[in-house]
Amino acid sequence: MTSRKASHLNRHNEDKYSVLLPTYNERENLPLIVWLLVKYFDESGYNYEIIVIDDGSPDGTLQVAEQLQRIYGEDKILLRPRAKKLGLGTAYIHGMKHATGNFIIIMDADLSHHPKFIPELIAKQKDGNYDLVSGTRYKGNGGVYGWDLRRKFISRGANFLTQVLLRPGASDLTGSFRLYKKTVLENLVKRCLSKGYVFQMEMIIRARELNYTIGEVPITFVDRVYGESKLGGNEILSFAKGLLTLFATT
Ligand SMILES: Nc1nc2c(ncn2[C@@H]2O[C@H](COP(=O)(O)OP(=O)(O)OP(=O)(O)O)[C@@H](O)[C@H]2O)c(=O)[nH]1
Ligand SMILES: *[C@@H]1O[C@H](CO)[C@@H](O)[C@H](O)[C@H]1NC(C)=O
Ligand SMILES: [Mg+2]
């Protein structure tokens, strides 16, 4: 189907997609990710809004976001900043409170998640009326680019360990490129206690517990080019702790 045709078809669709973009020091990445989001949404014709949740980035990300808001309009770019870095989990909850869409898309703002996959997430959701659709790096054409061996090993290892321990019914647990029905996401975050990398995983585990249906779409994940990576020994340790806590409590 050509994009013009799709755009024509979807314009009268009642659904609205709220994209939550948490940012911390993403000054270089934000203009491009927003431009790509606008491009793919305009092409497909779906109604959308982009909610930027900046946690007091010292690099001036919020000022960049304000400029983008002037360019694309206040109905398309919503700013919901917080004064300081309070973590990803609460950033999603904060952003969600202001979302007006009946669907929520969660993704990283560092260009690791390409907006070109969003129409596929949406199509998949419609296909089976799934409660949530998760991008997966571990199925079909999915994959990871730009990671060194150490990082690939850690990610694969974490995923494998979780598969064995928790049998979650989804192939990519630590990824964070997902589409949720808003009511489903609200219900899930209420039940999720973990922080950091474990949060994404707990969301899937809880979804499984609540018998939510999960669709999957292969995605490629590209390592950030701009900005600093934060995966260190501390994160790995807290991930292991979180995983064991989940194992013990489910
Ligand atoms: N609002 C907010 N956003 C955050 C926070 N921590 C990270 N982010 C954003 O969340 C997304 C994912 O964080 P990343 O730092 O890319 O995490 P990662 O992909 O696991 O690690 P690297 O890309 O290797 O650094 C990015 O858009 C970050 O800017 C936070 O405390 N608050
Ligand atoms: C989920 O489905 C199982 C098996 O059908 C059932 O036993 C369980 O009560 C359901 N849980 C919820 C929360 O609906
Ligand atoms: Mg990243």
Side-chain angles (χ1 to χ4, degrees):
M1 195 192 295
T2 68
S3 57
R4 188 145 34 91
K5 225 167 163 184
S7 161
H8 173 73
L9 281 176
N10 296 325
R11 196 163 296 138
H12 304 290
N13 193 311
E14 305 271 293
D15 293 328
K16 181 169 181 182
Y17 297 86
S18 301
V19 180
L20 303 189
L21 276 188
T23 58
Y24 190 75
N25 287 345
E26 303 290 2
R27 183 183 59 193
E28 291 103 333
N29 293 316
L30 195 60
L32 193 48
I33 188 91
V34 166
W35 183 79
L36 285 167
L37 280 167
V38 170
K39 170 179 145 77
Y40 284 98
F41 271 111
D42 281 351
E43 274 178 19
S44 60
Y46 291 112
N47 196 6
Y48 71 99
E49 67 188 0
I50 300 166
I51 304 179
V52 180
I53 307 122
D54 186 65
D55 273 2
S57 299
D59 77 340
T61 302
L62 184 58
Q63 285 70 43
V64 171
E66 283 164 355
Q67 286 179 22
L68 293 167
Q69 191 182 44
R70 262 175 251 132
I71 295 170
Y72 295 106
E74 287 182 14
D75 57 326
K76 289 287 173 251
I77 314 281
L78 284 68
L79 308 181
R80 295 293 176 262
R82 302 188 296 179
K84 61 176 166 86
K85 195 173 193 305
L86 295 169
L88 262 183
T90 57
Y92 294 137
I93 296 170
H94 179 73
M96 197 174 61
K97 280 191 202 140
H98 303 280
T100 64
N102 54 332
F103 287 98
I104 303 228
I105 292 168
I106 284 179
M107 65 192 296
D108 294 351
D110 62 355
L111 295 171
S112 288
H113 297 146
H114 199 298
K116 72 181 173 190
F117 293 111
I118 288 179
E120 292 176 40
L121 292 174
I122 293 174
K124 185 74 183 183
Q125 193 285 323
K126 292 192 176 300
D127 209 33
N129 189 25
Y130 291 106
D131 293 316
L132 76 97
V133 177
S134 177
T136 176
R137 298 163 288 184
Y138 303 124
K139 253 189 185 170
N141 295 323
V144 169
Y145 293 89
W147 274 3
D148 57 13
L149 216 56
R150 170 179 165 273
R151 182 120 195 218
K152 275 187 182 160
F153 182 76
I154 292 167
S155 174
R156 277 273 180 184
N159 210 59
F160 176 75
L161 211 69
T162 316
Q163 293 290 348
V164 171
L165 287 178
L166 301 171
R167 311 211 163 274
S171 60
D172 191 341
L173 302 162
T174 49
S176 51
F177 194 0
R178 294 180 187 154
L179 163 69
Y180 297 85
K181 287 178 181 170
K182 190 184 181 197
T183 49
V184 167
L185 185 61
E186 281 168 344
N187 215 350
L188 283 173
V189 292
K190 269 191 270 172
R191 285 157 209 271
C192 286
L193 306 167
S194 34
K195 298 262 164 343
Y197 288 87
V198 191
F199 180 79
Q200 301 301 345
M201 193 165 77
E202 185 174 9
M203 295 281 273
I204 293 282
I205 307 294
R206 302 292 171 212
R208 181 79 163 169
E209 276 178 6
L210 295 169
N211 294 339
Y212 284 137
T213 53
I214 304 173
E216 292 194 301
V217 168
I219 57 150
T220 48
F221 178 99
V222 182
D223 197 18
R224 63 161 72 245
V225 176
Y226 295 109
E228 248 168 67
S229 178
K230 289 130 201 142
L231 186 73
N234 271 345
E235 277 70 28
I236 296 168
L237 197 69
S238 66
F239 179 86
K241 266 196 214 153
L243 176 60
L244 289 175
T245 313
L246 265 181
F247 179 58
T249 57
T250 53

